[in-house]
Amino acid sequence: MSITRRLLLLGTTVGVGAGRAMAQPQGQGHAHGAPATPAAPPAAQPGPRPRLPAPRDAYVYIGWPQDGQVISGTRFKVWFGTRNFGVAPAGVIKANTGHHHIIIDAPLPPLDQPIPNDRNHLHFGLGQTETMLDLSPGTHTLQLLMGDADHVPHDPPVMSKRITVTVRPGKPQAVAAGQAQ
């Protein structure tokens, strides 16, 4: 078991978190923890480790809302999926898997560093594939970026196209038939 994995397990056991941030379980909104700080690499491996590979045909997508969608109500569900790529919780190293991060109203972060954890970069380290977002009225951009066990994007990065949604105050709209609720 790697030193990083041991620290992660120890940190979650004692409540320290070993510098890892994880999004809350589905249905709990999208609370923000402390920003993710990567654990220092083991002394035997100075510098950052190489990014984990991803298949060239892997991609991630936002299933709802769709690009250009006008959303009534500031709280709404977002669901996302992958093709040719699996989902695994943060801390789990398994080939061709990762976990979702939603980037809201921000450019892509550096692809050779851990994805930040703040109000513009939400982590879903438990392997969630949907969430409820609370966004202010106005126009917003959303984009998904998969991260490996340590929240670092893969090589090549597995990311969705950036979509734009318009949020209007009011009652939440019903999700169309055939889409997640």
Side-chain angles (χ1 to χ4, degrees):
M1 184 178 290
S2 73
I3 293 173
T4 302
R5 180 75 176 139
R6 285 183 193 153
L7 288 173
L8 177 62
L9 291 173
L10 176 63
T12 55
T13 302
V14 297
V16 173
R20 303 283 182 237
M22 298 176 74
Q24 72 295 341
Q26 291 177 353
Q28 298 296 316
H30 61 274
H32 305 289
T37 31
Q45 300 174 354
R49 67 161 170 71
R51 291 168 46 205
L52 294 180
R56 295 251 174 236
D57 63 348
Y59 68 96
V60 63
Y61 60 92
I62 298 172
W64 199 89
Q66 296 177 356
D67 191 26
Q69 185 101 33
V70 176
I71 300 165
S72 294
T74 57
R75 182 171 170 82
F76 58 96
K77 183 174 278 192
V78 177
W79 66 269
F80 24 94
T82 63
R83 295 248 168 97
N84 305 317
F85 201 73
V87 176
V92 173
I93 299 174
K94 184 176 179 184
N96 301 325
T97 67
H99 62 280
H100 296 282
H101 299 82
I102 293 182
I103 301 169
I104 302 170
D105 298 331
L108 285 172
L111 298 177
D112 61 345
Q113 298 173 21
I115 299 164
N117 185 15
D118 56 33
R119 67 186 184 99
N120 297 101
H121 304 84
L122 306 183
H123 288 234
F124 298 91
L126 298 177
Q128 304 96 309
T129 58
E130 63 181 39
T131 192
M132 296 295 292
L133 288 183
D134 288 299
L135 295 178
S136 61
T139 301
H140 299 278
T141 60
L142 306 174
Q143 185 171 19
L144 292 172
L145 177 60
M146 296 300 282
D148 67 13
D150 295 322
H151 307 282
V152 177
H154 297 79
D155 185 17
V158 180
M159 60 186 165
S160 72
K161 117 181 178 177
R162 182 176 302 188
I163 69 167
T164 301
V165 296
T166 301
V167 175
R168 296 214 169 124
K171 291 184 182 179
Q173 67 186 40
V175 178
Q179 296 179 336
Q181 294 195 33

